[in-house]
Amino acid sequence: MSFKSIAWGITGAGHFLDRSYQVFKELKQRDPELSVNTYISRAAEEVLRMYGLEQKLVKISGGDYLEEIFRESEQGSSSPKVGRFLLDRYDALFVTPATSNTVSKIAYGIADSLVTNAVAQAVKGKVPVYVVPVDIEGSIISEMPYNIDRKQCRHCETCPPRENCPHGAITEKNGVTDQIELLKCKGCGICKELCPYNAIKGGPVEVLVRDVDMRNVEIVKGLQGITVLESPEAILELF
């Protein structure tokens, strides 16, 4: 297919998030003339910071027309920017990663967030929509944000990760390190590197996919104008 201008919708899932970013980064490297407009849900705004990807999005959407980054927190309840899907501005909309919450809303025609609103308007405007659900079937191996392993933590009075966190995301209680505040964490990984006891983790965990989520994916597969893809890398095959 020939795509010149596309939209990328990001929802609040950690699973597939970095892989989705890498896919769009590769697409831009393949074709620097490709325009990518990014739509970020309110939950995704938080998760992007947790995984250290918030500032990297400018490599995908540099800020020019049709290459802006639209955040739900800045768009208001009416999400006016999704009107572009009715004005022949995009060749396709890619939603990746798509949380089970987003998939369920799409399945039942609910458009109450920036990304689900974009999906609704894209279908109405005959813009092809491609959705990559994080919960398809069986179980998934998801990458978790940074956290403190309390079994490994020695509760040092002087904690290098806490003292050197540039975002003040590591809190203390009774004078010792307590936890990582995920809404402050930017996912830089400095804390993990500085802990001498390897007490700061961030890695894979197996998550069971609920049967209700699998059913919703099947519903979305049957909807007009929407194609379900099993991985972010499947997007590359479309170009």
Side-chain angles (χ1 to χ4, degrees):
M1 299 183 186
S2 177
F3 297 114
K4 295 182 179 179
S5 178
I6 61 175
W8 175 20
I10 308 174
T11 68
H15 186 57
F16 283 162
L17 182 57
D18 184 68
R19 286 167 61 180
S20 298
Y21 169 76
Q22 296 301 330
V23 163
F24 283 91
K25 183 179 177 181
E26 181 173 339
L27 290 175
K28 290 288 287 187
Q29 291 173 341
R30 287 187 188 180
D31 182 7
E33 298 301 315
L34 176 69
S35 295
V36 181
N37 215 155
T38 303
Y39 290 77
I40 306 174
S41 76
R42 193 176 296 272
E45 293 181 42
E46 298 178 359
V47 177
L48 282 163
R49 288 195 292 270
M50 294 177 196
Y51 285 80
L53 291 173
E54 181 183 33
Q55 302 303 319
K56 295 181 180 180
L57 288 181
V58 294
K59 296 180 180 179
I60 310 298
S61 299
D64 292 335
Y65 179 61
L66 294 181
E67 290 197 326
E68 305 102 324
I69 297 174
F70 296 139
R71 297 173 175 82
E72 183 171 356
S73 62
E74 301 170 349
Q75 291 303 302
S77 299
S78 62
S79 302
K81 294 300 183 182
V82 302
R84 291 183 177 183
F85 290 97
L86 301 175
L87 301 174
D88 198 29
R89 298 292 191 268
Y90 305 114
D91 298 316
L93 166 63
F94 298 91
V95 181
T96 179
T99 62
S100 57
N101 186 45
T102 296
V103 170
S104 66
K105 289 181 178 182
I106 294 173
Y108 291 97
I110 299 172
D112 64 350
S113 70
L114 181 61
V115 174
T116 55
N117 206 333
V119 171
Q121 297 305 313
V123 173
K124 291 179 180 180
K126 299 181 181 180
V127 177
V129 178
Y130 299 89
V131 177
V132 182
V134 296
D135 298 318
I136 296 182
E137 60 182 1
S139 62
I140 60 174
I141 303 299
S142 183
E143 195 76 17
M144 299 298 291
Y146 291 108
N147 63 89
I148 297 175
D149 184 340
R150 297 182 182 277
K151 293 181 180 179
Q152 291 286 106
C153 181
R154 303 294 180 86
H155 303 292
C156 305
E157 290 188 14
T158 301
C159 174
R162 187 182 71 232
E163 297 296 327
N164 291 280
C165 176
H167 310 292
I170 302 179
T171 63
E172 62 178 316
K173 186 176 182 180
N174 298 325
V176 297
T177 296
D178 182 39
Q179 63 181 330
I180 298 176
E181 293 285 355
L182 293 181
L183 295 184
K184 292 182 179 180
C185 178
K186 304 293 185 180
C188 64
I190 291 175
C191 57
K192 185 175 182 179
E193 295 176 4
L194 291 177
C195 180
Y197 302 107
N198 195 32
I200 296 181
K201 310 291 185 180
V205 61
E206 185 174 8
V207 179
L208 178 67
V209 177
R210 302 180 303 172
D211 56 354
V212 64
D213 296 327
M214 290 186 279
R215 290 198 299 269
N216 287 335
V217 170
E218 291 303 312
I219 292 173
V220 173
K221 286 181 179 179
L223 296 181
Q224 178 185 14
I226 300 178
T227 300
V228 172
L229 302 176
E230 293 191 359
S231 71
E233 290 77 14
I235 295 173
L236 296 172
E237 301 174 9
L238 299 173
F239 284 75

